[in-house]
Amino acid sequence: MGLKRFFTMHKCRLCGAESSSVWSVKDAKIAETLVIFMCNTCALVQQANLPTDEELHIYYSHNYREEYKSTHQPKPKYVHRAGKAALDRLARMRKAGISPGAALLDIGAGGGEFVYMAQQAGFESRGVEPHQGYSEFARDEYGVKIDTCQISDIEHKGFGVVTMFHVLEHLAHPTQVMIKVHQMLKEGGYFVVEVPNITQKDASPHNIYFKAHLFYYSRPSLIAAASPYFDQVYVEDEGNLFIVFKRKDHVLQGLLTPSLVDIKGVTKRLDEKGWREYLFKGGGLTKVFTRIPKALNEHKIKHMRSKAILDQIHKLPNF
Ligand SMILES: [Zn+2]
């Protein structure tokens, strides 16, 4: 990334340690300063100057989806992608030993695709989503239960499963999230998390560090973040990081920090990131070709209703 890392004393938002290394000082998407450091104790990569809670609230209840996908409601091609992703996540959950039938809460439910697909798969599912337009759309289109609210507003408890897909990296207080999810789950319940993986090879250098992602998790740092409240029972970290955690009956007092070998491993991966790796190892060169059949498929569904798109997906084998 053109910057040699240097050591600093930024305080880690997760473990509180002050020994850190700065990895980047600019936003990959816009011409603005963005200081990103890695905590040398828990390996969590994070923004140095987080927005305030108020700023984040306004951003996610109104602006976020528009800025990223230029729409107030999900377009058919996004519904299609989200439906396929939901199918894949449900299959992984089954592999991890989670059986349908449980009460499930999806946090950051977006347009409601996962909540609907989970319901079709036999879960008693509901969701929460801060964005007004998306949550309304989900309720109208699929008839699913989605509350328009923040995590801190959730009052329901006793869930067997809580899911959070590509949400945790946007949240400023990871420990508070863990505590809240632990309280919402019943004994033996599962917390299913998927986040972008900072150690994966196919992240384009232009997409690595940008302001919407406050934290950049890796297997060691996510497991450390969850460690006082959850045990990991299923981990996939080849592409995105997908971990199924099981609720601990007895909460630990402090974090279990990663081993030195794990911390060195994350450091090494950050060091290797750049265009060279993306093009030659991460599949950057082949990506453009795999996009064509995908675009053709998406063209076919252009005029379909969202519910019909998801109904078609859940009829696929494997569901
Ligand atoms: Zn730390």
Side-chain angles (χ1 to χ4, degrees), residues 12 14-16 39 41-42:
C12 175
L14 178 64
C15 75
C39 167
T41 303
C42 71

Side-chain angles (χ1 to χ4, degrees), residues 6-12 16-22 37 40:
F6 53 91
F7 293 99
T8 55
M9 297 290 280
H10 284 106
K11 189 170 172 152
C12 175
E18 290 187 343
S19 153
S20 56
S21 316
V22 167
F37 71 89
N40 295 327

